[in-house]
Amino acid sequence: DTGVSQDPRHKITKRGQNVTFRCDPISEHNRLYWYRQTLGQGPEFLTYFQNEAQLEKSRLLSDRFSAERPKGSFSTLEIQRTEQGDSAMYLCATPGGPSSYNEQFFGPGTRLTVL
Amino acid sequence: GESVGLHLPTLSVQEGDNSIINCAYSNSASDYFIWYKQESGKGPQFIIDIRSNMDKRQGQRVTVLLNKTVKHLSLQIAATQPGDSAVYFCAEKEPGGFKTIFGAGTRLFVKA
């Protein structure tokens, strides 16, 4: 258990619906990352927050995707008008480890299936 | 473009043997590399990291080797155990940036 929690763990939705995922990071860390992982591939960077500021967004994050971190603690990732190609595991990560400043602790992920 | 890849998609080893997982990277400016382990249904788990000013770093049963000349790194697992069965990703920290760039992964099977 890394201390990073994500909710829900699984989400099945129909194409065109909106979905929202939540990440609760390890407390006291100001950095938070979202990644997307499709089957058989490594995680792909989506976006990065430092406190409540979204400092970087990937080209993968189309205008249907929006992420927020309103109070610099938990974060939400919303996908509007979902498409089948959005089916993936969405991972949240925060740094924080005694061995490395850059080490990232990942949550268990939210697996999205778009029918 | 960005590229961190792996030579072999799967690796099968006998329990007790040593495992070697290889990885190539393309950005010569990269200065920080990480190996992650991912078990089914879980997020990636940090194993070990190395900075470009080093060519070897050891952890508990794991060693990472970095060859900057050929832009190659490897993960060695000593006395591989069934619990080591997972997908292993090499990753690099974007130089001067925030993101971590992952390769596609190698699945390690440990035969009892």
Side-chain angles (χ1 to χ4, degrees):
Chain A
D1 183 7
T2 63
V4 180
S5 62
Q6 293 188 245
D7 182 72
R9 294 292 307 277
H10 304 273
K11 178 70 177 178
I12 299 174
T13 190
K14 293 183 179 180
R15 185 163 53 95
Q17 298 294 305
N18 300 340
V19 294
T20 300
F21 311 140
R22 176 177 170 126
C23 170
D24 285 273
I26 300 170
S27 60
E28 302 174 5
H29 288 288
N30 58 4
R31 293 181 289 144
L32 185 147
Y33 303 80
W34 283 98
Y35 290 83
R36 181 175 71 184
Q37 186 177 26
T38 53
L39 197 61
Q41 300 298 314
E44 298 172 291
F45 171 83
L46 291 179
T47 191
Y48 162 72
F49 286 89
Q50 185 157 320
N51 298 314
E52 64 274 10
Q54 189 174 20
L55 297 186
E56 187 170 351
K57 291 172 60 174
S58 165
R59 294 186 302 272
L60 296 172
L61 221 61
S62 74
D63 56 5
R64 295 185 298 106
F65 288 71
S66 62
E68 294 182 344
R69 196 180 184 201
K71 298 181 180 179
S73 55
F74 73 92
S75 177
T76 59
L77 178 67
E78 180 183 15
I79 308 174
Q80 296 181 325
R81 305 181 302 282
T82 52
E83 301 173 356
Q84 288 184 324
D86 297 331
S87 295
M89 176 78 85
Y90 290 85
L91 294 160
C92 170
T94 62
S99 61
S100 171
Y101 177 73
N102 287 300
E103 177 182 345
Q104 293 185 10
F105 284 118
F106 282 84
T110 294
R111 180 165 294 284
L112 173 65
T113 302
V114 182
L115 303 177
Chain B
E2 301 163 345
S3 176
V4 177
L6 294 166
H7 294 308
L8 296 172
T10 60
L11 177 65
S12 184
V13 300
Q14 197 71 36
E15 180 180 1
D17 288 351
N18 297 334
S19 303
I20 300 176
I21 301 173
N22 295 304
C23 179
Y25 64 95
S26 61
N27 190 344
S28 57
S30 294
D31 59 3
Y32 179 71
F33 304 90
I34 318 106
W35 281 98
Y36 286 92
K37 172 186 180 183
Q38 188 172 26
E39 297 173 289
S40 181
K42 297 183 179 179
Q45 176 188 358
F46 173 92
I47 301 174
I48 192 168
D49 59 358
I50 189 167
R51 294 199 174 276
S52 59
N53 61 353
M54 304 172 69
D55 53 18
K56 180 179 180 179
R57 191 168 186 215
Q58 288 185 290
Q60 189 175 18
R61 282 203 306 119
V62 295
T63 301
V64 55
L65 300 177
L66 176 62
N67 185 331
K68 294 179 288 294
T69 302
V70 295
K71 292 185 284 189
H72 179 272
L73 68 159
S74 66
L75 177 69
Q76 300 178 0
I77 304 173
T80 314
Q81 302 169 359
D84 295 327
S85 294
V87 177
Y88 290 81
F89 295 98
C90 66
E92 66 182 299
K93 186 75 164 46
E94 181 187 46
F98 304 111
K99 60 185 173 184
T100 300
I101 303 163
F102 287 79
T106 291
R107 181 173 294 279
L108 176 65
F109 292 100
V110 181
K111 296 176 289 187

